[in-house]
Amino acid sequence: MKPYRLGILAEYLAILIYKLKFYSIICHRKKNFVGEIDIIACRGKQLVFIEVKARNNNIMENIVPKNQQNRIRRSAELFLSHNDKYNGCEVRFDLVFIRPYKLPVIIENAW
């Protein structure tokens, strides 16, 4: 499977997982001039920005480099500045690591 298609499939799998955990999906593939956030989900007063990584190997070391974390954080700040209704929410950054034929790994508060 091509890497782009694997990534899209992994994002939809992550959406399904978070829906099963009773999160409402606000945005999928939210782009702005700073960067892109794969998934934005909300449950109660928790707002979660989710980065999805699909790999063919088991290596998780440095899977989201510091510069990408900063780009996602700035994109989240921009999203919050344009959406006042989420200002009182607790913000969290999750990482979903998906490999073929293995269970997904969800790391809450990844950074």
Side-chain angles (χ1 to χ4, degrees), residues 83-97:
N83 295 284
D84 292 335
K85 66 180 178 179
Y86 300 113
N87 279 347
C89 291
E90 175 187 330
V91 175
R92 191 176 84 205
F93 294 92
D94 287 2
L95 172 66
V96 178
F97 183 63

Side-chain angles (χ1 to χ4, degrees), residues 44-97:
K45 285 290 187 179
Q46 273 192 340
L47 187 65
V48 184
F49 296 94
I50 305 160
E51 177 67 16
V52 180
K53 292 293 185 180
R55 296 287 187 266
N56 288 322
N57 56 34
N58 291 329
I59 300 171
M60 285 184 58
E61 294 177 22
N62 201 20
I63 196 163
V64 182
K66 206 60 152 161
N67 62 345
Q68 186 177 10
Q69 291 176 17
N70 291 333
R71 204 167 40 243
I72 294 169
R73 186 174 287 117
R74 287 193 313 259
S75 294
E77 289 169 358
L78 187 64
F79 174 82
L80 288 170
S81 70
H82 286 100
N83 295 284
D84 292 335
K85 66 180 178 179
Y86 300 113
N87 279 347
C89 291
E90 175 187 330
V91 175
R92 191 176 84 205
F93 294 92
D94 287 2
L95 172 66
V96 178
F97 183 63

Side-chain angles (χ1 to χ4, degrees), residues 3 5 8 13 17-19 24 31 37 41 43 46-47 56-57 60 67 72 74 86 89 92 96 100 104-105 109 111:
R5 287 188 181 184
I8 297 297
L13 180 61
I17 291 168
Y18 276 87
K19 281 187 175 185
S24 60
K31 294 180 184 178
I37 301 170
R43 182 174 71 182
Q46 273 192 340
L47 187 65
N56 288 322
N57 56 34
M60 285 184 58
N67 62 345
I72 294 169
R74 287 193 313 259
Y86 300 113
C89 291
R92 191 176 84 205
V96 178
V105 176
N109 284 320
W111 64 89

